[in-house]
Amino acid sequence: MNRWLNHFESCKQDCISINAHSSSSVNQLLGFAELKLKEAISKEPTLLIMLVGVPNVGKSALINSIHRIATSRFPAKDKNKRATVGPLPGVTQDIAGYKIATQPSIYVLDTPGVLVPSIPDMETGLKLALTGAVKDSVVGEERIAKYLLSLFNIKKTPLHWERLLHRKEEWCEEICSSNKKDNSLRRTRLNNSDAVYVQDLVTEVQRALCRTFLNFTGNIEEESELETLIDMQLVELRKVFRIPHKPFDETQGPTSKKLLTLFRSGKLGPFILDDLPDGSEK
């Protein structure tokens, strides 16, 4: 994010960073838009703001956040529409306008995601696919998941989860003790492959990736050996996700899909941490 800010500032272009789920952040954006439109507001009865970006980057989510704030700042008689959001690209199919202010009337146009006409190289394409900017079916879920695991392993991300291996017994004891005190919080399964809650599942995934990474004796700098590690991790993840193994049956597809879903939910961090000081956690 900071690199993008510096890039636009070096090009003498206005740029601010915002969090679409933060009211104060979105308010900052609206204030910025008002400032830039100040001269036009006195001349034009209606103003249009277009929201443009890469697919699945959060444009519709931002519009919905703008609605919540704008309706309190600029009360409108007409009922405001909401933009449809989703975890995959392609939810917004057409250009749609949403009224966010009156006197003057200001509309935000939500648009379908746009990409460059051609992707320059395979790694760029994989990165876009990993974020959901490109549909999984175009690249293939298995290829995307393997690319994700390669990034995890090359950056040694699983080492950040090593503490979870040591805390497993303590964690199980806490849960069992809690169950005795309050049956309403009871968790019926505590083994390695079963998870009742999403966070339990995330923790089991992190443990599996860390355990296989620590037990692997090959050299991950060698492409063939890195592929071997990734295959081992997918086997372990299949067990975590409780996907039945069948002879001559391809099970990496469902495993890959579940892994990508967890990653895109933002629950698998830390990820790609550069220059992380020893002993620190993020």
Side-chain angles (χ1 to χ4, degrees), residues 23-120:
S23 296
S24 60
S25 186
V26 177
N27 265 316
Q28 180 186 4
L29 174 64
L30 293 177
F32 179 76
E34 281 187 277
L35 179 64
K36 301 302 292 185
L37 294 173
K38 189 174 183 179
E39 183 177 346
I41 284 176
S42 62
K43 299 178 181 180
E44 302 292 339
T46 301
L47 299 172
L48 300 179
I49 299 174
M50 181 177 287
L51 193 61
V52 182
V54 171
N56 205 40
V57 79
K59 298 183 296 297
S60 297
L62 175 58
I63 278 191
N64 287 334
S65 296
I66 290 175
H67 279 175
R68 287 193 292 270
I69 296 173
T71 50
S72 61
R73 292 180 57 184
F74 310 106
K77 295 180 180 179
D78 298 331
K79 185 178 180 180
N80 288 343
K81 299 179 181 178
R82 292 180 62 85
T84 303
V85 299
L88 297 175
V91 173
T92 303
Q93 300 289 340
D94 302 303
I95 295 177
Y98 303 93
K99 189 173 184 179
I100 64 169
T102 57
Q103 299 179 352
S105 295
I106 300 179
Y107 291 84
V108 172
L109 300 182
D110 188 18
T111 62
V114 293
L115 280 174
V116 292
S118 61
I119 297 174

Side-chain angles (χ1 to χ4, degrees), residues 60 86 106 146 161 166 169 203 217 226 237 243 254 257:
S60 297
I106 300 179
K146 288 184 176 181
W161 303 323
H166 305 308
E169 291 184 4
T203 301
T217 57
L226 177 60
L237 290 177
I243 298 174
K257 184 174 182 177

Side-chain angles (χ1 to χ4, degrees), residues 87-191:
L88 297 175
V91 173
T92 303
Q93 300 289 340
D94 302 303
I95 295 177
Y98 303 93
K99 189 173 184 179
I100 64 169
T102 57
Q103 299 179 352
S105 295
I106 300 179
Y107 291 84
V108 172
L109 300 182
D110 188 18
T111 62
V114 293
L115 280 174
V116 292
S118 61
I119 297 174
D121 55 75
M122 182 176 292
E123 185 171 8
T124 299
L126 287 170
K127 288 179 178 178
L128 289 169
L130 186 56
T131 63
V134 177
K135 289 185 177 181
D136 291 349
S137 58
V138 174
V139 180
E141 291 173 338
E142 292 179 33
R143 178 178 293 183
I144 302 172
K146 288 184 176 181
Y147 178 67
L148 171 61
L149 290 176
S150 70
L151 292 178
F152 275 144
N153 294 320
I154 292 172
K155 291 290 184 177
K156 300 183 179 180
T157 302
L159 292 180
H160 292 278
W161 303 323
E162 187 173 1
R163 67 188 185 281
L164 298 176
L165 297 178
H166 305 308
R167 290 170 51 188
K168 183 171 180 60
E169 291 184 4
E170 178 183 348
W171 177 77
C172 289
E173 289 177 0
E174 286 184 13
I175 297 300
C176 291
S177 175
S178 175
N179 288 344
K180 293 179 181 179
K181 296 179 181 179
D182 188 354
N183 289 332
S184 65
L185 298 178
R186 183 180 179 184
R187 300 187 181 194
T188 58
R189 301 184 181 94
L190 294 174
N191 60 44

